[in-house]
Amino acid sequence: MGGVNRLYPIFADLAGREVRLVGGGPVAERKARMLLQSDARVRIGAPTLTATLQEWVDQGLLRHDPGTFKEDWLDGAWLVIAATNDDALNAQIKQLADQRRIFANVVDDPAHSSFHVPAIVDRSPLIIAISSGGAAPVLARRLRERLESLFDDTLGNLGQLAQQHRKQICNAYPDTGARRGFYDWLFDGPVARLLRQGNSEQALHALEARLARPQDLPPLELALINAMHADPARLTLGGLRTLHEADVIAYEDERAEGLLDLARRDAARHRLNEDEQHDPERLAHTLTGLGKQHRCIALLKTRRTPHPQWLEQTTSRLAQAGLPLRVVP
């Protein structure tokens, strides 16, 4: 559909790395501001600069090469952004950057860009980026506006707390399932509520108190997602939530691939063989084994049951093994 390439999403660490910015107008000023926030070493080339850009040069925040573009401006650059009003010059910069294997962005010209700058929602350290691959930038901006109203500044404060206490959290909850349960409590519970109320000291006290008294491991969970349609668009909200929470996903065949794309990237996957799919005893044995390594298991069913009593027999075998089965519509 269409001729727009699917971009590979990536967040670049530009701290201490040189980024070449060509152009000295308001657009270049906007780009420079974001680059400086990323601690990049910004080097700008242009005959003249806006008052703000000149002020940043005077303060030593960025370096200025006056005059028209020269090829050696690209020496040492990790990225280049062309923000001039000269289409021919922008195309030349992109061509020279390609020859040097430097990623280049031509502002408002996706066809001449090897990387795109997305619309972002900044809740540092959490950054939400939205890109249409250059196909519909206005749509991306509209989505950003909606997300900005949906996610308040509390997210940033929560992210900072999680970052500052990451080592303590790992020590208190070495089991990944228990750790995930703790993060659910952190992001959804009293700490988030206190931050929204402006009580940052109480929020910190609540977090430290919970870390001082780690909770027990969460109970083992097994959920059957009945998705024989194998259509991601028809997956229920409960099914989507189950996929997001699962530590491991047991699935039947390649029809599940579209649904598996909706799961957590770090979730383990186990493809069931024919015996495991048809024999409740074998399936129960396999799922019980997975339960020894994972706390939350999703069984993704995309094929018809082999016989009418399959679900009843499977549920019975699992219950005998101490692994109750929850069915998700």
Side-chain angles (χ1 to χ4, degrees):
M1 294 179 62
V4 179
N5 291 333
R6 175 169 175 167
L7 302 181
Y8 182 79
I10 185 172
F11 284 85
D13 179 6
L14 296 178
R17 294 182 167 92
E18 182 170 308
V19 177
R20 167 62 67 174
L21 182 57
V22 184
V27 175
E29 178 183 317
R30 188 173 71 249
K31 299 298 180 181
R33 187 185 305 275
M34 180 174 292
L35 289 168
L36 290 174
Q37 291 172 348
S38 299
D39 293 328
R41 289 170 44 225
V42 182
R43 192 157 185 168
I44 188 167
T48 59
L49 303 177
T50 67
T52 298
L53 284 171
Q54 186 60 56
E55 182 179 347
W56 289 342
V57 171
D58 295 340
Q59 293 173 355
L61 298 178
L62 51 81
R63 296 179 62 181
H64 177 215
D65 293 312
T68 56
F69 173 76
K70 301 177 181 61
E71 184 175 346
D72 62 6
W73 282 5
L74 300 181
D75 292 347
W78 291 70
L79 293 176
V80 59
I81 297 177
T84 80
N85 56 5
D86 185 334
D87 292 341
L89 175 58
N90 289 340
Q92 179 190 5
I93 294 170
K94 167 60 165 55
Q95 182 181 20
L96 291 172
D98 283 348
Q99 292 173 3
R100 294 168 176 249
R101 298 184 179 181
I102 301 172
F103 280 106
N105 173 261
V106 178
V107 178
D108 293 331
D109 188 355
H112 287 97
S113 297
S114 53
F115 79 93
H116 297 190
V117 180
I120 67 166
V121 178
D122 188 353
R123 299 292 183 261
S124 296
L126 179 69
I127 301 292
I128 304 172
I130 309 106
S131 173
S132 66
V138 175
L139 180 60
R141 286 197 292 270
R142 286 171 62 90
L143 180 56
R144 181 202 63 196
E145 292 168 0
R146 295 187 182 185
L147 291 176
E148 283 181 329
S149 63
L150 183 62
F151 299 119
D152 58 38
D153 290 336
T154 302
L155 281 180
N157 297 329
L158 280 170
Q160 291 174 14
L161 281 178
Q163 181 183 38
Q164 294 164 3
H165 293 80
R166 183 174 182 178
K167 185 175 181 179
Q168 297 97 307
I169 293 170
C170 290
N171 291 337
Y173 296 94
D175 178 84
T176 55
R179 192 181 312 146
R180 189 170 299 110
F182 171 82
Y183 278 119
D184 288 341
W185 171 86
L186 175 62
F187 299 143
D188 298 330
V191 174
R193 184 168 60 252
L194 288 166
L195 286 174
R196 289 191 178 94
Q197 295 170 355
N199 299 323
S200 56
E201 290 187 9
Q202 294 183 37
L204 177 60
H205 177 73
L207 170 58
E208 292 177 341
R210 180 67 175 253
L211 287 175
R213 297 186 300 275
Q215 304 294 310
D216 295 333
L217 286 175
L220 196 61
E221 293 186 15
L222 170 61
L224 168 64
I225 302 176
N226 200 347
M228 285 180 284
H229 49 74
D231 181 1
R234 295 174 59 189
L235 190 66
T236 65
L237 182 59
L240 181 61
R241 184 180 298 113
T242 300
L243 283 178
H244 286 172
E245 294 173 350
D247 300 316
V248 58
I249 302 169
Y251 66 103
E252 295 176 320
D253 57 23
E254 63 278 357
R255 296 182 69 227
E257 288 298 331
L259 297 167
L260 290 171
D261 287 342
L262 302 177
R264 292 193 352 253
R265 293 293 180 263
D266 61 338
R269 299 183 182 187
H270 175 86
R271 179 164 177 168
L272 301 171
N273 60 38
E274 290 294 327
D275 289 341
E276 292 168 332
Q277 293 182 40
H278 291 84
D279 185 349
E281 190 75 39
R282 291 292 301 276
L283 178 60
H285 177 76
T286 296
L287 294 176
T288 302
L290 292 175
K292 295 178 180 179
Q293 300 176 346
H294 307 278
R295 307 305 301 175
C296 188
I297 307 169
L299 174 57
L300 187 55
K301 187 152 192 62
T302 53
R303 299 175 68 177
R304 296 289 178 183
T305 55
H307 51 80
Q309 292 79 33
W310 178 89
L311 179 58
E312 181 180 348
Q313 293 178 6
T314 300
T315 302
S316 175
R317 298 293 193 281
L318 290 168
Q320 292 172 13
L323 193 59
L325 177 67
R326 174 173 62 91
V327 178
V328 180

